[in-house]
Amino acid sequence: MADTAHRPEHRYGNRPTMKDVAAKAGVGLKTVSRVVNGEPGVTPDTERRVQEAIEVLGFRRNDSARVLRKGRTATVGLVLEDLADPFYGPLSRAVEEVARAHGALLINGSSAEDPDREQELALALCARRVDGLIVIPAGDDHRYLEPEIRAGVATVFVDRPAGRIDADAVLSDSFGGAREGTAHLIAHGHRRIGFVGDRPRIHTASERLRGYRAAMEDAGLPVREEWVSLGSTDPERVDAAVRGMLAAPEPVTALFAGNNRVTVTAVRALAGRARPVALVGFDDIELADLLGITVIAQDAAALGRTAAERLFRRLEGADGAPERVVLGTTLLARGSGEVAPSAG
């Protein structure tokens, strides 16, 4: 028969309490509370016994209960599109740094570009009583958040504006950046320029397409239907779109890629071609400087930082109508966007 007399007791989910510490140290509950919260009125010897009990038991103060008594949970939620997308790394980090500076914890999750999942995640965070939300929206109808906002959950949208509600938003100048990038290709002699972008329902995709069209119109150039392709950023779809534009009777001589994922696929599709094709991408990508890829760069960290600072200003009582802040983009000319059109 197995000896169970000394088998350790597993208490997963049953954390030690201040009562456990008090019993272990042989002191009253109020004394433990004073030690835990750094209050005066405890002798050095008693404090030592309490600290020893805390260490032995692995006790941790329940900050959630403490902040709830103050009406705040000291947590904020961040709803991203895709945690695997490199664009969101510096954005999320900047939000976390601002939250930490305000003594708050950041909880984030990914909507996977699914409006239903975005709503489920945002409401789940609200149910856990986060003080505020920063949302990169997947959907175009955010009326589901109106009760939460009325209940005091500060909410800021970033990268894309909210749909069908008024809320603070921090955006990049997608229209202006795409217009500048396309104009850059035109300035290097290109007249047949293709645009490959994300799904048309996405605000940034539609704004970048609008910027591309504006630059072409500014230069008096036509935009043929076969030069524009919007849809999933799945590599197979993007690759087919690029190859189709290059195989047309009058192939494009340059491409504008609507985001970082499109740019990566476009670089692969263009690799090794006998006739070089100029390329400008929206969003910087890893190794773009070494590969010589010209891009319209967003400052993802500035987007996250600005949105988080706006959120905490709201939490600290800032009134006023919702505001839309638009941050500029930067053209980084590295070679691929400066290729002249091939003869013939």
Side-chain angles (χ1 to χ4, degrees), residues 275-340:
R275 291 184 176 180
V277 176
L279 172 67
V280 173
F282 203 109
D283 291 336
D284 211 352
I285 59 173
E286 190 174 3
L287 301 182
D289 54 341
L290 296 178
L291 295 172
I293 308 302
T294 296
V295 299
I296 299 296
Q298 303 184 77
D299 191 338
L303 282 170
R305 183 170 54 255
T306 304
E309 288 170 349
R310 182 65 186 168
L311 182 77
F312 280 98
R313 282 198 297 272
R314 289 295 191 189
L315 288 171
E316 289 162 3
D319 291 325
E323 296 179 357
R324 179 175 293 196
V325 177
V326 180
L327 304 183
T329 56
T330 304
L331 172 65
L332 301 178
R334 294 173 172 143
S336 71
E338 295 70 57
V339 175

Side-chain angles (χ1 to χ4, degrees), residues 25-253:
V27 299
L29 187 59
K30 182 61 178 176
T31 299
V32 176
S33 177
R34 285 178 178 151
V35 172
V36 167
N37 292 297
E39 297 173 358
V42 182
T43 66
D45 180 64
T46 300
E47 182 177 0
R48 178 187 55 76
R49 296 202 331 264
V50 171
Q51 292 291 4
E52 287 176 354
I54 286 172
E55 185 175 346
V56 169
L57 295 173
F59 170 80
R60 293 292 180 272
R61 184 175 65 181
N62 186 349
D63 282 341
S64 295
R66 187 169 60 93
V67 295
L68 277 170
R69 287 195 294 272
K70 298 180 179 181
R72 292 271 293 273
T73 62
T75 57
V76 293
L78 172 61
V79 180
L80 297 165
E81 175 198 338
D82 183 357
L83 289 169
D85 189 326
F87 174 75
Y88 295 116
L91 188 153
S92 176
R93 190 179 308 115
V95 172
E96 186 172 20
E97 287 173 356
V98 174
R100 183 180 179 187
H102 286 81
L105 178 70
L106 178 68
I107 305 171
N108 61 32
S110 171
S111 70
E113 200 59 65
D114 181 345
D116 292 334
R117 184 167 171 176
E118 172 214 297
Q119 178 174 342
E120 179 184 352
L121 178 57
L123 292 179
L125 289 167
C126 290
R128 283 158 178 76
R129 298 194 59 172
V130 293
D131 298 319
L133 282 176
I134 294 176
V135 181
I136 297 172
D140 56 8
D141 186 350
H142 294 94
R143 289 176 295 177
Y144 70 86
L145 280 173
E146 285 182 329
E148 309 299 333
I149 293 172
R150 285 196 299 269
V153 179
T155 305
V156 177
F157 288 77
V158 65
D159 191 42
R160 307 164 189 172
R164 306 187 72 175
I165 64 170
D166 290 327
D168 289 316
V170 179
L171 317 173
S172 288
D173 186 5
S174 286
F175 169 79
R179 189 176 193 174
E180 182 182 14
T182 306
H184 185 74
L185 292 168
I186 294 169
H188 283 81
H190 296 277
R191 300 295 178 263
R192 301 194 303 271
I193 302 171
F195 179 94
V196 184
D198 210 331
R199 297 175 179 89
R201 66 174 176 79
I202 297 173
H203 173 80
T204 48
S206 62
E207 282 294 284
R208 292 167 195 174
L209 175 60
R210 191 168 70 88
Y212 157 81
R213 290 187 181 279
M216 296 291 278
E217 182 179 348
D218 291 343
L221 298 175
V223 176
R224 296 184 181 177
E225 183 179 345
E226 60 267 28
W227 294 352
V228 175
S229 177
L230 297 179
S232 162
T233 57
D234 178 79
E236 290 185 5
R237 201 284 300 179
V238 173
D239 183 77
V242 170
R243 294 184 186 279
M245 292 179 189
L246 298 175
E250 289 188 287
V252 298
T253 64

